[in-house]
Amino acid sequence: MAKLGVAVVGVGTMGKQHASNLRRLIPEARLVAVVDADLKRAEQVAAELEIEHAFNTVEAVAERKDVQAIVVVTPAKFHGAAMKVCAQAVKDIFCEKPFTLALEEADELLDVTEKAGVRVQVGHVRRYDPPNVKAKKRIEAGEIGEPVIFKSLARDPAPPPVSYMASGVNGMFFQDSTIHEFDLGRWLMNDEISEIHAYGAVLVFPEIAQFNDIDTALLNMRFSRGTLGAVENYMQSGYGYDIRTEIVGSKGTIITGYLQQTAELVLTAAGAKTDIVDHFLARFAQGYLDEMRDFVQTILADRAPKVDAFDGRQSVAVAAAAERSYREGRAVQVQNRTRSSRAA
Amino acid sequence: MAKLGVAVVGVGTMGKQHASNLRRLIPEARLVAVVDADLKRAEQVAAELEIEHAFNTVEAVAERKDVQAIVVVTPAKFHGAAMKVCAQAVKDIFCEKPFTLALEEADELLDVTEKAGVRVQVGHVRRYDPPNVKAKKRIEAGEIGEPVIFKSLARDPAPPPVSYMASGVNGMFFQDSTIHEFDLGRWLMNDEISEIHAYGAVLVFPEIAQFNDIDTALLNMRFSRGTLGAVENYMQSGYGYDIRTEIVGSKGTIITGYLQQTAELVLTAAGAKTDIVDHFLARFAQGYLDEMRDFVQTILADRAPKVDAFDGRQSVAVAAAAERSYREGRAVQVQNRTRSSRAA
Amino acid sequence: MAKLGVAVVGVGTMGKQHASNLRRLIPEARLVAVVDADLKRAEQVAAELEIEHAFNTVEAVAERKDVQAIVVVTPAKFHGAAMKVCAQAVKDIFCEKPFTLALEEADELLDVTEKAGVRVQVGHVRRYDPPNVKAKKRIEAGEIGEPVIFKSLARDPAPPPVSYMASGVNGMFFQDSTIHEFDLGRWLMNDEISEIHAYGAVLVFPEIAQFNDIDTALLNMRFSRGTLGAVENYMQSGYGYDIRTEIVGSKGTIITGYLQQTAELVLTAAGAKTDIVDHFLARFAQGYLDEMRDFVQTILADRAPKVDAFDGRQSVAVAAAAERSYREGRAVQVQNRTRSSRAA
Amino acid sequence: MAKLGVAVVGVGTMGKQHASNLRRLIPEARLVAVVDADLKRAEQVAAELEIEHAFNTVEAVAERKDVQAIVVVTPAKFHGAAMKVCAQAVKDIFCEKPFTLALEEADELLDVTEKAGVRVQVGHVRRYDPPNVKAKKRIEAGEIGEPVIFKSLARDPAPPPVSYMASGVNGMFFQDSTIHEFDLGRWLMNDEISEIHAYGAVLVFPEIAQFNDIDTALLNMRFSRGTLGAVENYMQSGYGYDIRTEIVGSKGTIITGYLQQTAELVLTAAGAKTDIVDHFLARFAQGYLDEMRDFVQTILADRAPKVDAFDGRQSVAVAAAAERSYREGRAVQVQNRTRSSRAA
């Protein structure tokens, strides 16, 4: 078996997880190098994962012949620059979500990567979360009749450090966080979101106001075929990492997601108690592995990725519309594109 | 103990339940008579409940000296007329939700009943549902910090018969059904809903279009202190009667409601299976009893009702704003009133 | 409809519940009188339930013509004496479990009541608990194949007051408490328990040793057709009233029972928390009502009771065998009788 | 870091899982070789895991200098022979449960390995199952007061193939399967099982009778300090792989285990449905990894294993007593040994 030579660019929490999965659990891949703007960090991860190469530029891996695919896990504002280097070097790309933070850049990158003829998979991990995978199959099999409402909520345990906010761009809540739900809705409803109405507020994390951002959002949306959707995104659950989705159909409903992390129920005079999922790496461990394995197998098999640059771009467009709706206090049409025949 | 003489006006499914609770389970009350436009039905219920009197007009009970309080459970469009008769006769009133179907009428009735000096309790039963009662206490005790998001969903098992739709007024989904969630949100958030955005659609029950009505609604709302709310209301779950509420706070969340009706889990090759709550009388049996008992005790104790005409009126105003939002495709301000000192 | 005249003998916690159900919720019955050795208590309950008569002897109701059936809820050691009075007066009997505390007395009473031609229903309420009712139907329908293991556990929140122990007979744990599970096993497995092995211990309530009794028991049993059963009974859960049953079949398992009392889930940094059922009157409210209604309807319809003196006697025999097994440290055969044709 | 050279002997389902964990997920180990009586299978696994060596005798790895520890996952009846080779070659041992199938052999091996000065960890994976790990800590912290009852059940989805039965020794149900619960009980109750009473039966898998074996067992046990235990073991749940444990204390109870595999709830007219765990590799994936990692780290750190040959031997003694109890129809004392000071 010829292994796929892969490099991971950006080895913070998420990038390191991808690198570890590639190194340990996806035998079809060979992790050639890790890259980080912070070379020390790259070297440390390389040592820990027992691989040879650590670099601090995308170019350093883009020019290598033993690297066929590049996994981009930089801060979102650098996704575009990194992908352009990859495209120029004709390397296939896995890009962590969001595809980009701005719609114009998403359009540009969609064109650039199409022209370069490189494959792009975007890291919308929800599509690989096993309960969602099962739900999708049930919907397609008609088990809940016609799907008519998509609902999803995402609650982080606590706001990110102010430093994380400072490293991003201002006002990126919808683009950086809620975007997960937009892609999930598009996929499960097998439809485009055509209109969105967003309420946002700073309710629990006043420090975020300096970044022109919000900590709480409720969004309602209309899909192009007339069905409806509702999304909640909240930065400070106070209890854990809570992701739940419902697809309501004409004959039934599917609920995915869970709260309990450890299969232990404690019964005392204080009541019945379980713990709660505490981190996205725990919640989506299987999804992260499955999406990366699928990426590697997709490239090796010369197939089209299941969630590609077009999908990435469309969700960026929804996020942009959400942002505008929140700012302008009115429902906003999403600037959807049609999938080009080349991308299909 | 002097018992409270009560008559129930309207003994369809809901009215009969109230009458039965008054007759059987609330010893502080004496059910004097039941009334129904259909005298046969009134007589049948009177026989079944073993009480003496059955009439077919509100006036027949309003003029009785042995009736101190009247429970109005007519079709919603007749609430106003019935309450006016009660007010004129200076009888205290329990009015099933919705208070009215139109805001102007709600305002009028609020004034009429205040002037007449009669007490009015509106049947927003959710406030008496034991999990909601507990949730309210926890919120007040600060167990979840500051409440910042109110969420609620209500799904009926199946659309009502077309005859029920025909007996109402056109386009009454928000006023007749979603209004439960509006009152619940006002109460749990201890705040008024100031603005609302509603999406509505006919997605599963095409017959409803002839009544200018919808079967599916998603609503987002803003409370006057800046917190947010989201409500779903759906007519055809296909699986049962599903009512769930979440109050999300700065330190935690409370989820109320349940799906499983019978404490039986069946494990076979087909998976793990339970049944699902099938009817609102089953789901809210305790709440219906508790609200009626509270009404009786409130009147006997000469107290102010916990959910009164003002509350009824405010929720009608939210429903009116929701209706307008849905029709006009934009967020709409709620025409809230301030509670008069007399009503407090 | 001719109502069934009923008297309740013994109006402690359980007897008062039965009386209340008869008075309020079973219109086919007329509660004529309540009886208690403590006449004050009888009078108080009569006043509370708004009925005319209160007495302090069984004879006082047994001789009344307007009483057709007597509900015996005295302390278990007086069941026999009370039932003999009823039998002599040819009154039908509902006897709270256990039928008796001793096997010889059970045999005698079975004969006495059969000879007197009075109907006897024994208060094995588990058979009327809705999940168990459903489970029984599923088993009969073959949904879990052949039932092969019966399992049940019963945990009280805390030991009874020492005064309760002092009012009973010594060493009555199996006869007074575990007997619920014996009847349930017989019914769900549709078979007799033929052999039993019991471990017992004083582990949490040392005061009980003075009554030659135990607070903890684990029992294994063999049914006559070779299937197996396991029962746990424990006096001090520390968290609530916990009753759970499993019937394991060749194709599946049914689990009945539940822990959560209020449909409220609280999510905070301390984890996910619910409350727990706290009392047998809450846990079996529906069962108590359904069994009494069935008793009344059974007598009115001149049918054989679903759980009768023979059933009561057989479970007493199992309890006696359990007691002996525990005392002698060996498995013991149950002294089962065969149902006489008359009783069928 | 010096890695621990490890060989895995026996690469059926379980052995392959251990080998895969060592190769992929435990960087402190270097998987040097796999061994199987079926050399083809060994070679296939070696290829799949990308390691160099495949052999068909224990001796082939026992004599290698680059192998410091050997993981024995042969059929249970060959554990003894394999461990003797390891002991002679002074290699540390991880032995899959059961330690042995016969008590005499267990005693001999305990002595042999102690004399050889090799470490032995026995694969009682339950101790590494995360909910059990948490439960153990809570018990030690006193969260449920004094533990007084240990309960556990283990249900396989379906009987093993007759060929598996034929490859074992006759009548090995308690020794091969129930032994998991014996070790778990000893550990969670921090006590030895002193007496056991077992019922067994052939109820669903008649083919097993030819191996003088059973498919269903219920066992009650007494621990040396007087507390009690109850275990169920069943071969044919018909619905999945079901492992649940309860530790009942004087102040509360802990329940570990779970049924639902995928976090997906499907609501339709047929009720509320989830899937069920289907395989022990899924149920204990984390436990298998954690126990092997702990073994590797234990050897590297020159520590005593957490679950050692003495533990293995004690559980074999309980299984032997269970077997005798079942055969002789009476409670049987367990032939416990006292832990030698050397082994501590």
Side-chain angles (χ1 to χ4, degrees):
Chain A
M1 180 183 63
K3 295 194 175 203
L4 185 75
V6 184
V8 173
V9 177
V11 284
T13 306
M14 190 69 251
K16 192 175 158 187
Q17 177 84 359
H18 286 315
S20 174
N21 281 339
L22 285 161
R23 172 71 179 89
R24 304 267 183 233
L25 292 168
I26 303 173
E28 301 95 324
R30 191 164 53 84
L31 181 63
V32 174
V34 292
V35 177
D36 203 280
D38 176 351
L39 185 58
K40 277 252 165 69
R41 182 156 76 171
E43 287 169 346
Q44 196 176 338
V45 170
E48 200 175 315
L49 295 180
E50 303 174 284
I51 63 166
E52 214 173 330
H53 304 293
F55 303 107
N56 63 351
T57 66
V58 187
E59 287 78 2
V61 290
E63 67 195 12
R64 292 184 69 97
K65 289 211 169 140
D66 56 356
V67 169
Q68 284 93 46
I70 295 177
V71 174
V72 175
V73 207
T74 63
K77 63 182 170 187
F78 302 130
H79 283 182
M83 279 191 274
K84 285 180 193 169
V85 174
C86 299
Q88 187 141 12
V90 199
K91 305 294 186 190
D92 290 315
I93 300 167
F94 178 99
C95 176
E96 189 45 71
K97 56 57 51 185
F99 186 48
T100 69
L101 290 169
L103 183 53
E104 301 69 29
E105 194 184 22
D107 278 322
E108 184 196 356
L109 282 167
L110 179 54
D111 293 340
V112 164
T113 54
E114 280 192 11
K115 271 177 204 147
V118 299
R119 287 185 173 75
V120 180
Q121 179 170 329
V122 180
H124 285 301
V125 65
R126 299 288 177 79
R127 298 199 189 194
Y128 291 89
D129 185 37
N132 287 337
V133 171
K134 279 200 159 185
K136 177 72 173 173
K137 281 182 191 151
R138 282 187 210 281
I139 294 167
E140 290 178 343
E143 287 190 37
I144 58 166
E146 287 299 312
V148 295
I149 308 175
F150 165 78
K151 297 183 79 172
S152 203
L153 70 84
R155 296 180 194 150
D156 276 305
V162 170
S163 62
Y164 177 86
M165 298 306 304
S167 77
V169 303
N170 279 0
M172 66 178 181
F173 192 56
F174 298 113
Q175 286 87 345
D176 189 50
S177 178
T178 324
I179 200 162
H180 273 301
E181 321 310 320
F182 301 146
D183 179 72
L184 185 60
R186 293 180 61 248
W187 183 60
L188 288 175
M189 300 299 277
N190 193 29
D191 200 358
E192 296 293 348
I193 297 163
S194 57
E195 187 186 299
I196 197 156
H197 181 271
Y199 278 129
V202 179
L203 294 173
V204 288
F205 184 41
E207 296 85 342
I208 208 168
Q210 64 186 292
F211 304 105
N212 197 24
D213 214 337
I214 55 177
D215 52 33
T216 309
L218 291 178
L219 308 98
N220 279 346
M221 56 191 68
R222 202 182 273 284
F223 288 85
S224 73
R225 288 197 288 271
T227 60
L228 302 176
V231 164
E232 176 211 324
N233 199 180
Y234 181 50
M235 256 193 193
Q236 178 179 298
S237 78
Y239 57 82
Y241 184 67
D242 187 1
I243 307 288
R244 283 175 280 150
T245 298
E246 295 197 35
I247 312 97
V248 182
S250 56
K251 293 181 179 170
T253 281
I254 301 171
I255 303 178
T256 69
Y258 63 101
L259 287 166
Q260 186 175 353
Q261 187 153 274
T262 312
E264 187 207 30
L265 177 66
V266 181
L267 310 172
T268 65
K273 205 177 67 177
T274 71
D275 67 359
I276 302 177
V277 175
D278 60 359
H279 199 279
F280 66 91
L281 288 185
R283 173 65 183 82
F284 290 111
Q286 190 65 44
Y288 288 129
L289 174 58
D290 289 351
E291 73 171 357
M292 194 52 69
R293 185 189 291 118
D294 190 44
F295 172 66
V296 169
Q297 293 174 346
T298 292
I299 302 307
L300 286 172
D302 202 17
R303 291 193 306 245
K306 293 207 188 84
V307 46
D308 63 8
F310 177 78
D311 292 310
R313 184 269 171 211
Q314 296 292 81
S315 290
V316 171
V318 181
E323 171 77 11
R324 180 169 299 178
S325 171
Y326 156 62
R327 301 282 173 203
E328 302 183 2
R330 60 177 184 87
V332 169
Q333 303 299 311
V334 178
Q335 293 186 274
N336 283 309
R337 262 169 80 164
T338 305
R339 184 181 283 278
S340 73
S341 51
R342 262 173 72 196
Chain B
M1 179 183 64
K3 294 194 176 205
L4 185 74
V6 184
V8 173
V9 178
V11 284
T13 305
M14 190 69 251
K16 193 176 156 186
Q17 177 83 359
H18 286 315
S20 174
N21 281 339
L22 285 161
R23 172 70 180 89
R24 304 266 185 235
L25 291 168
I26 304 174
E28 303 94 324
R30 191 163 53 85
L31 181 63
V32 174
V34 294
V35 177
D36 203 281
D38 176 351
L39 184 58
K40 276 252 165 68
R41 182 156 75 170
E43 288 169 347
Q44 195 176 340
V45 169
E48 199 175 315
L49 295 180
E50 302 173 282
I51 64 164
E52 213 173 329
H53 303 293
F55 303 107
N56 64 351
T57 67
V58 186
E59 288 77 3
V61 290
E63 66 195 14
R64 292 185 68 97
K65 289 212 168 137
D66 57 356
V67 169
Q68 285 92 46
I70 295 177
V71 174
V72 176
V73 207
T74 63
K77 64 182 170 188
F78 302 130
H79 282 182
M83 279 191 274
K84 285 178 192 169
V85 173
C86 299
Q88 187 142 12
V90 198
K91 305 294 186 189
D92 290 315
I93 299 166
F94 177 99
C95 177
E96 190 44 71
K97 57 55 56 184
F99 186 48
T100 68
L101 289 169
L103 183 53
E104 302 67 31
E105 195 185 20
D107 278 322
E108 185 196 354
L109 282 167
L110 179 54
D111 294 339
V112 164
T113 54
E114 280 192 10
K115 272 178 203 146
V118 299
R119 286 186 173 75
V120 180
Q121 179 170 330
V122 180
H124 285 300
V125 66
R126 299 289 177 77
R127 297 199 189 194
Y128 290 89
D129 185 37
N132 288 337
V133 171
K134 279 200 160 184
K136 177 72 173 173
K137 280 183 192 149
R138 280 187 212 282
I139 294 167
E140 289 178 343
E143 287 190 37
I144 59 165
E146 287 299 312
V148 295
I149 308 175
F150 165 77
K151 298 183 78 173
S152 203
L153 71 84
R155 296 180 194 149
D156 276 304
V162 169
S163 62
Y164 177 87
M165 297 306 304
S167 78
V169 301
N170 279 0
M172 66 178 180
F173 191 56
F174 298 114
Q175 285 88 345
D176 190 49
S177 178
T178 325
I179 199 161
H180 273 301
E181 321 310 319
F182 301 147
D183 178 72
L184 185 60
R186 292 180 61 247
W187 182 60
L188 289 176
M189 300 299 277
N190 193 29
D191 200 357
E192 296 293 349
I193 297 163
S194 56
E195 186 186 300
I196 197 156
H197 181 272
Y199 278 129
V202 180
L203 295 172
V204 289
F205 183 42
E207 296 86 343
I208 208 169
Q210 65 185 292
F211 304 104
N212 196 25
D213 214 338
I214 55 177
D215 52 33
T216 309
L218 291 178
L219 307 98
N220 279 346
M221 55 192 69
R222 201 182 275 283
F223 288 85
S224 74
R225 288 198 288 272
T227 60
L228 302 176
V231 164
E232 176 209 324
N233 199 179
Y234 181 51
M235 258 194 193
Q236 178 179 298
S237 78
Y239 58 82
Y241 183 67
D242 187 1
I243 306 288
R244 282 175 280 149
T245 298
E246 295 197 36
I247 313 98
V248 181
S250 56
K251 293 182 181 168
T253 281
I254 301 171
I255 303 177
T256 69
Y258 62 103
L259 288 166
Q260 186 175 352
Q261 186 154 274
T262 312
E264 186 207 31
L265 178 66
V266 182
L267 309 172
T268 65
K273 205 178 66 177
T274 71
D275 68 359
I276 301 177
V277 175
D278 60 359
H279 199 279
F280 66 91
L281 288 185
R283 173 65 183 83
F284 290 112
Q286 190 66 44
Y288 288 128
L289 174 58
D290 290 351
E291 74 171 356
M292 195 51 68
R293 185 189 290 118
D294 190 44
F295 172 67
V296 169
Q297 293 175 345
T298 292
I299 302 306
L300 285 173
D302 201 18
R303 290 194 305 246
K306 293 208 188 83
V307 46
D308 62 9
F310 177 78
D311 292 309
R313 184 269 169 210
Q314 297 291 81
S315 290
V316 171
V318 180
E323 172 75 12
R324 179 168 300 177
S325 172
Y326 157 62
R327 299 285 172 201
E328 301 184 3
R330 61 178 184 88
V332 169
Q333 303 299 310
V334 178
Q335 293 186 274
N336 283 309
R337 262 168 80 165
T338 305
R339 184 182 282 278
S340 74
S341 51
R342 260 174 71 196
Chain C
M1 179 182 65
K3 295 196 175 201
L4 185 75
V6 183
V8 172
V9 177
V11 284
T13 307
M14 191 68 250
K16 193 176 157 186
Q17 177 83 359
H18 286 316
S20 175
N21 281 339
L22 285 161
R23 172 70 180 90
R24 305 266 184 235
L25 292 168
I26 304 174
E28 302 95 321
R30 191 166 53 85
L31 181 62
V32 174
V34 293
V35 177
D36 202 282
D38 176 351
L39 184 59
K40 277 252 166 67
R41 183 156 75 170
E43 286 169 347
Q44 197 177 336
V45 170
E48 200 174 314
L49 295 180
E50 303 174 283
I51 64 165
E52 215 174 328
H53 303 294
F55 303 107
N56 64 351
T57 66
V58 187
E59 288 77 2
V61 290
E63 67 194 15
R64 292 185 68 96
K65 288 212 170 139
D66 56 356
V67 169
Q68 285 90 46
I70 296 178
V71 173
V72 176
V73 207
T74 63
K77 63 183 172 188
F78 302 129
H79 282 183
M83 279 191 275
K84 284 178 191 168
V85 174
C86 299
Q88 186 141 14
V90 198
K91 305 295 187 190
D92 289 316
I93 300 167
F94 177 98
C95 176
E96 189 45 71
K97 59 54 50 186
F99 186 48
T100 67
L101 289 170
L103 183 53
E104 300 69 28
E105 194 184 23
D107 277 323
E108 184 196 354
L109 282 166
L110 179 53
D111 293 340
V112 164
T113 54
E114 280 192 11
K115 272 177 201 146
V118 299
R119 286 186 173 75
V120 180
Q121 178 171 331
V122 180
H124 285 301
V125 67
R126 299 287 178 79
R127 297 198 189 195
Y128 290 88
D129 186 37
N132 287 337
V133 171
K134 279 200 158 184
K136 176 72 173 173
K137 280 182 191 151
R138 282 187 210 281
I139 294 167
E140 289 178 344
E143 286 191 38
I144 58 166
E146 287 299 311
V148 294
I149 308 176
F150 166 77
K151 297 183 78 173
S152 203
L153 70 86
R155 295 180 194 150
D156 276 305
V162 168
S163 62
Y164 177 87
M165 298 306 304
S167 78
V169 302
N170 279 0
M172 67 179 180
F173 192 56
F174 297 113
Q175 285 88 345
D176 190 50
S177 178
T178 324
I179 199 161
H180 273 301
E181 321 310 319
F182 300 147
D183 179 72
L184 186 60
R186 292 180 61 248
W187 182 59
L188 289 175
M189 300 299 278
N190 193 28
D191 200 356
E192 296 294 348
I193 297 163
S194 56
E195 186 186 299
I196 197 157
H197 180 271
Y199 278 129
V202 179
L203 294 173
V204 288
F205 184 42
E207 296 86 343
I208 208 169
Q210 63 186 292
F211 304 105
N212 196 24
D213 213 338
I214 55 177
D215 52 33
T216 309
L218 291 178
L219 309 98
N220 278 347
M221 55 191 69
R222 201 182 273 284
F223 288 85
S224 74
R225 288 198 288 272
T227 61
L228 301 176
V231 165
E232 176 210 322
N233 199 181
Y234 181 51
M235 256 192 194
Q236 177 178 298
S237 78
Y239 58 82
Y241 184 67
D242 187 0
I243 307 288
R244 283 175 278 150
T245 298
E246 295 197 36
I247 312 97
V248 181
S250 56
K251 292 182 181 170
T253 281
I254 301 171
I255 302 178
T256 69
Y258 62 102
L259 287 166
Q260 186 175 352
Q261 187 153 274
T262 312
E264 186 207 31
L265 177 66
V266 181
L267 309 172
T268 65
K273 204 178 67 178
T274 71
D275 68 357
I276 301 177
V277 175
D278 60 357
H279 200 278
F280 66 91
L281 289 185
R283 174 64 183 83
F284 290 111
Q286 191 65 45
Y288 288 129
L289 174 57
D290 289 351
E291 74 171 357
M292 195 51 69
R293 187 190 290 117
D294 191 44
F295 172 66
V296 169
Q297 293 174 345
T298 293
I299 302 306
L300 285 173
D302 203 16
R303 292 192 306 246
K306 293 209 189 83
V307 46
D308 62 9
F310 177 78
D311 291 310
R313 183 268 170 211
Q314 296 292 81
S315 290
V316 171
V318 181
E323 172 76 12
R324 179 169 300 179
S325 172
Y326 157 61
R327 300 283 173 202
E328 302 183 2
R330 61 178 184 87
V332 169
Q333 303 299 310
V334 178
Q335 293 185 274
N336 283 310
R337 262 168 80 165
T338 305
R339 184 182 283 278
S340 73
S341 52
R342 261 173 71 196
Chain D
M1 181 182 65
K3 295 195 175 202
L4 185 75
V6 184
V8 172
V9 177
V11 285
T13 306
M14 190 68 251
K16 193 176 157 186
Q17 178 84 359
H18 286 315
S20 174
N21 281 339
L22 285 161
R23 172 70 180 88
R24 303 268 184 234
L25 291 168
I26 304 174
E28 302 94 323
R30 191 164 52 85
L31 182 62
V32 174
V34 293
V35 177
D36 203 281
D38 176 350
L39 184 59
K40 276 251 165 68
R41 182 156 75 171
E43 286 169 348
Q44 196 176 336
V45 169
E48 199 175 315
L49 295 180
E50 303 173 283
I51 62 167
E52 214 172 331
H53 303 293
F55 303 108
N56 64 352
T57 66
V58 187
E59 287 78 1
V61 290
E63 67 194 13
R64 292 184 68 98
K65 289 212 169 141
D66 57 356
V67 169
Q68 284 91 47
I70 295 177
V71 173
V72 176
V73 207
T74 63
K77 63 182 172 187
F78 302 130
H79 282 182
M83 279 192 274
K84 285 179 193 167
V85 173
C86 298
Q88 187 142 13
V90 199
K91 305 295 186 190
D92 289 315
I93 300 167
F94 178 99
C95 177
E96 190 44 71
K97 59 54 51 185
F99 186 48
T100 68
L101 289 170
L103 183 53
E104 301 69 29
E105 194 183 22
D107 278 322
E108 183 196 356
L109 282 166
L110 179 53
D111 294 340
V112 163
T113 54
E114 281 193 11
K115 272 178 202 144
V118 299
R119 285 185 174 75
V120 180
Q121 180 171 331
V122 180
H124 286 300
V125 67
R126 300 288 177 78
R127 297 199 188 195
Y128 290 88
D129 186 35
N132 288 336
V133 171
K134 279 200 159 185
K136 176 73 173 174
K137 280 182 192 153
R138 281 187 211 282
I139 294 167
E140 290 178 343
E143 287 190 37
I144 58 166
E146 287 298 312
V148 294
I149 308 175
F150 165 78
K151 297 183 78 173
S152 203
L153 70 84
R155 297 181 193 148
D156 277 305
V162 169
S163 62
Y164 177 86
M165 297 307 304
S167 78
V169 302
N170 279 0
M172 67 178 180
F173 192 55
F174 297 113
Q175 285 88 346
D176 190 49
S177 179
T178 325
I179 200 161
H180 273 301
E181 321 310 319
F182 300 146
D183 179 71
L184 185 60
R186 292 180 60 248
W187 182 59
L188 288 175
M189 300 299 278
N190 193 29
D191 200 358
E192 296 293 348
I193 297 163
S194 56
E195 186 185 298
I196 197 157
H197 180 271
Y199 278 130
V202 180
L203 294 172
V204 288
F205 184 41
E207 296 86 343
I208 208 169
Q210 64 187 292
F211 303 105
N212 196 25
D213 214 338
I214 56 178
D215 51 33
T216 309
L218 291 177
L219 308 98
N220 279 347
M221 56 191 67
R222 201 182 272 284
F223 288 85
S224 73
R225 288 198 288 271
T227 60
L228 302 176
V231 164
E232 176 210 323
N233 199 180
Y234 181 51
M235 257 193 193
Q236 178 178 296
S237 78
Y239 59 82
Y241 183 68
D242 187 0
I243 307 288
R244 283 174 279 149
T245 298
E246 295 197 36
I247 312 97
V248 182
S250 56
K251 294 182 180 169
T253 282
I254 301 170
I255 303 178
T256 68
Y258 63 102
L259 287 166
Q260 185 175 354
Q261 187 154 272
T262 312
E264 187 208 30
L265 177 67
V266 182
L267 309 172
T268 65
K273 205 177 66 175
T274 71
D275 68 358
I276 302 178
V277 175
D278 60 358
H279 200 279
F280 66 91
L281 288 185
R283 174 65 182 84
F284 290 111
Q286 191 65 45
Y288 288 129
L289 174 57
D290 289 350
E291 73 172 357
M292 194 53 69
R293 187 189 290 117
D294 190 45
F295 172 66
V296 169
Q297 292 175 345
T298 292
I299 302 306
L300 285 172
D302 202 17
R303 290 193 307 246
K306 293 209 188 83
V307 46
D308 62 9
F310 177 78
D311 292 310
R313 184 270 170 210
Q314 296 293 81
S315 291
V316 171
V318 180
E323 171 76 12
R324 179 168 301 179
S325 171
Y326 157 63
R327 300 285 172 200
E328 302 183 3
R330 60 179 184 87
V332 168
Q333 304 298 311
V334 178
Q335 293 186 275
N336 283 309
R337 262 168 80 164
T338 305
R339 183 181 283 278
S340 73
S341 52
R342 261 174 71 197

